[in-house]
Amino acid sequence: MGKKQSKPEATSEYGDPCQFDPNFKGPLQKRSCTDIICCVLFVLVILGYLAVGILAWLYGDPRHVLYPRNSTGWFCGSGPNQGLPNLFYFDMIKCATSVNIMATALKGFQCPTTQASVCQRLSTKFWGVGITDLMKKPSDVFDQKYCVPSLDLKTTKLSVTEITNRELCPFFHTPLISVLGRCLPDVSALDKIPDSFAQIPGLPSSINDTLDLLKNGTADVVKGFNLKDVGVRIFEDFASAWPWILLGLLIAMVVSLLFLLLLRFTAPVMVWVLIFGVLGAGAYGIYHCYWEYDNYKKQSASITDVGFTTNFNVYLQVQETWLAFLIIIAIVEAILLLTLIFLRKRILIAIALIQESSKAVGHMMSALVYPLVTFVMLLICVAYWGATALYLATSGAPIYKVVALNVTMDDCKTINGSDTCDPQKFNATDYPQCPSASCIFIKYNDEGLFQKNMFNLQIYNVVAFLWCVNFVIALGQCTLAGAFASYYWAFTKPADIPMFPLTASFLRALRYHVGSLAFGALILTLVQIARMILEYIDHKTRSAQNACARFVLCCLKCCLWCLEKFIKFLNRNAYIMIAIYGKNFCVSAKNAFMLLMRNVVRVVVLDKVTDLLLFFGKLLVVGGVGVLSFFFFSGRILLPGSTFRSETLNYYWMPIITVVFGSYLIAHGFFSVYNMGVDTLFLCFLEDLERNDGSPSKPYFMSKNLMKILNKKNK
């Protein structure tokens, strides 16, 4: 009889195992462009995004938001008002009552009074035009810097009464403060308002009424001043502590790098310490619950005596509660022990892959620099989105209309805010019947084709921004995957590792796979947009929701969150397969998913062990650097020869928060490279097991440590 033929390997419900290919030596060099349709669509969206940015730049003017305008239409602090950064309202009383005066003509916080640009130094005293001042010369009564620029107090022939009626100069002012470039009454000084203000023509006869109007007109805005004051102090702290903040971030970078490199030697110890630490905590929990149960067992009280109560401390004083805790913790501990016993080999595989990733990082140190490239590209995306949104919001030309500042006069009732005007050419003498006529900003023009589609353009701005951000992240993952795959499939390491693997992988991704990366990024973007829409609906309908509606929305948000996490997991592994084999997104995602499902237990173990280690690493880096920065910035640590003193800081916690947050971003950037390396090497390891058998014609590419764990070797 002839030799019995071996049966072919059974086909799994998750597809056939990978077959041996004698020509496969790592990421394929000969490949073609994938997902061309999506590539063309992505390029068209980018070109459209650039066109929207150009149009926004041509039509928009962010100075409308950043700088206030005076009554002449000029921006304070620029042009003819250079050196005059603050906007001064002549009659703050009208600002407090503007809603009632011109509710149909004015939109938002528009004050129907003359507004002039003034210098940085503001008045710190109370002043007003009294009855005795009406007969004096204007130059003896008014301060030129608070009057309109067209009025010269020394040469004018107008009387004090005419000047105040036409609002060419203010007839009173209080101590002032600057709030976002606008001069507002200092609320803290209003309680010292003098009794003489009751004698000023134009003000209420009651000091209390005047005080209430001024406070009501400025209270909400003064809150903004407090925020600005805090912002200025924080800026001062950054200005004095920035070298030490950079030093803290540098320490975080060094610690992150050392942690990743030391994992090569300490990963087994750290993993087993963490595992036995969890088991030890469970064992102590069992002991403590039994001790409590034994103590309360001697008492006569039981759960039936307590009944139902909202005071949960009562339940902790009966034996049945601790018996339940004891049983639950014991079951969990038993499950963990059985899992550890049966999955010990897979845990060893996970540890070996983590060590192998650390070796790969050691041979390709340039991979640790790549997160900076991703960060710069993301920063460009965010900056472009913010600038485009700002320019789009200010793309309409400002519309000014003639408004009567004193509607109590019969002759001014004919002015209803329907006549447009140019504030730079407006002259109150054109309305002799109404001396208080003024040219006031109403809104931005929304009549043009570009302005009518403003909302749609802002939506386009958000969608294109999300797509670009997800594409940049996808490009980084595919680039790193190609580099780590080149490391794994090098039979003799490091001699067979290609030269500049990271650069070669980056160029391959850009040349061949822009469409596939854009496809995966588009799927993730659509899910994120759906989540944003759902959050918007929830925010707008929250007041009208009942319990059932809140439950449904909560379930929908939870489902979309899970879907987004799954899409990210699927995309990540699809990009690894794209980097290795160069196939399109759908085929790569399918192959990666099938490969992982054929080894689902190994996937779960590796994922959890890696997450545990990286979480511990981030905690170590962020916690260590955070504690060090706390002791330094709070003055508990003094460096010899240092000129820095904690007493110079207004808020010493602000540099600490900055260092902690920056340390987290740095650690996350380094560990994301490491995590991508683990995932890539894991997929390569699974394919290595399916492709090869250790024979001379099919040798394993895995490390000797992995072969030892699996009881395999190359013959």
Side-chain angles (χ1 to χ4, degrees), residues 191-391:
D191 293 333
K192 302 176 183 178
I193 187 171
D195 296 336
S196 59
F197 260 48
Q199 307 299 323
I200 297 177
L203 290 180
S205 57
S206 172
I207 293 294
N208 291 332
D209 292 343
T210 302
L211 191 63
D212 291 340
L213 287 173
L214 290 173
K215 285 186 175 181
N216 292 337
T218 59
D220 293 336
V221 187
V222 169
K223 294 178 182 178
F225 169 77
N226 294 331
L227 293 176
K228 184 181 179 183
D229 184 50
V230 172
V232 170
R233 294 182 180 181
I234 291 175
F235 180 79
E236 292 175 351
D237 291 344
F238 281 126
S240 61
W242 69 266
W244 304 104
I245 293 176
L246 292 181
L247 179 61
L249 298 180
L250 180 63
I251 293 174
M253 185 172 64
V254 173
V255 172
S256 299
L257 180 60
L258 290 177
F259 182 84
L260 294 182
L261 295 179
L262 287 175
L263 279 179
R264 180 174 176 177
F265 309 102
T266 61
V269 176
M270 293 176 61
V271 170
W272 290 115
V273 166
L274 291 172
I275 290 175
F276 285 110
V278 173
L279 292 176
Y284 173 76
I286 293 174
Y287 164 75
H288 183 77
C289 290
Y290 177 78
W291 183 76
E292 293 283 358
Y293 169 75
D294 187 60
N295 284 340
Y296 288 109
K297 186 179 180 180
K298 301 174 183 178
Q299 300 180 7
S300 58
S302 65
I303 194 72
T304 55
D305 300 327
V306 174
F308 177 77
T309 177
T310 56
N311 186 6
F312 293 100
N313 291 327
V314 175
Y315 292 109
L316 297 178
Q317 300 175 6
V318 294
Q319 60 178 355
E320 288 85 355
T321 301
W322 292 104
L323 179 61
F325 287 160
L326 175 63
I327 295 173
I328 293 172
I329 296 177
I331 292 174
V332 173
E333 185 82 352
I335 292 174
L336 289 176
L337 279 173
L338 292 175
T339 302
L340 180 63
I341 293 172
F342 288 105
L343 298 181
R344 63 188 184 280
K345 183 175 289 187
R346 290 181 171 86
I347 294 175
L348 292 175
I349 293 173
I351 294 173
L353 283 171
I354 291 171
Q355 290 177 296
E356 195 67 15
S357 298
S358 190
K359 289 182 182 179
V361 170
H363 289 301
M364 299 183 300
M365 294 296 290
S366 58
L368 294 175
V369 183
Y370 189 81
L372 295 178
V373 178
T374 302
F375 176 76
V376 170
M377 289 191 288
L378 290 177
L379 191 62
I380 293 173
C381 291
V382 173
Y384 185 82
W385 165 78
T388 302
L390 179 60
Y391 274 88

Side-chain angles (χ1 to χ4, degrees), residues 403-598:
V403 175
L405 302 180
N406 188 359
V407 295
T408 58
M409 298 177 60
D410 293 337
D411 294 336
C412 292
K413 292 182 178 179
T414 57
I415 300 177
N416 54 13
S418 60
D419 297 336
T420 59
C421 58
D422 184 352
Q424 299 182 30
K425 299 179 181 179
F426 178 77
N427 194 341
T429 57
D430 297 335
Y431 298 87
Q433 77 282 5
C434 185
S436 65
S438 181
C439 190
I440 298 295
F441 168 76
I442 300 298
K443 63 176 181 178
Y444 294 110
N445 182 21
D446 56 0
E447 299 298 327
L449 178 63
F450 183 75
Q451 285 75 25
K452 287 182 179 179
N453 292 279
M454 192 62 56
F455 180 76
N456 297 330
L457 292 176
Q458 290 284 18
I459 295 295
Y460 184 87
N461 184 28
V462 173
V463 174
F465 164 71
L466 291 176
W467 198 358
C468 289
V469 167
N470 290 323
F471 175 81
V472 169
I473 296 174
L475 177 61
Q477 292 177 342
C478 188
T479 299
L480 292 171
F484 283 109
S486 298
Y487 168 84
Y488 185 92
W489 296 111
F491 188 74
T492 304
K493 303 175 180 65
D496 293 343
I497 300 176
M499 188 172 293
F500 305 117
L502 190 71
T503 304
S505 178
F506 179 76
L507 294 178
R508 281 198 304 268
L510 280 183
R511 182 178 178 183
Y512 298 108
H513 305 304
V514 170
S516 298
L517 301 180
F519 190 14
L522 177 61
I523 297 174
L524 183 58
T525 299
L526 294 177
V527 176
Q528 291 172 341
I529 291 172
R531 289 191 64 193
M532 293 172 62
I533 293 174
L534 194 62
E535 290 289 347
Y536 178 78
I537 293 174
D538 183 27
H539 176 72
K540 287 295 183 181
T541 61
R542 184 161 297 174
S543 59
Q545 291 174 6
N546 53 25
C548 182
R550 287 194 297 271
F551 174 76
V552 172
L553 283 174
C554 183
C555 291
L556 289 175
K557 288 192 288 186
C558 181
C559 291
L560 285 177
W561 180 84
C562 294
L563 179 61
E564 182 180 355
K565 292 297 181 182
F566 175 75
I567 294 294
K568 287 182 177 179
F569 172 79
L570 190 64
N571 284 2
R572 186 185 186 88
N573 292 282
Y575 298 147
I576 296 174
M577 302 301 279
I578 290 172
I580 299 174
Y581 298 106
K583 296 182 180 180
N584 63 44
F585 177 82
C586 294
V587 173
S588 300
K590 176 186 174 183
N591 292 341
F593 182 75
M594 294 299 183
L595 179 62
L596 293 174
M597 291 304 296
R598 292 197 295 268

Side-chain angles (χ1 to χ4, degrees), residues 10 49 55 78 109 183 241 302 318 449 511 514 536 543 604 700 710:
Y49 199 20
L55 289 174
S78 64
F109 183 68
C183 303
S302 65
V318 294
L449 178 63
R511 182 178 178 183
V514 170
Y536 178 78
S543 59
V604 173
Y700 290 116
L710 296 172

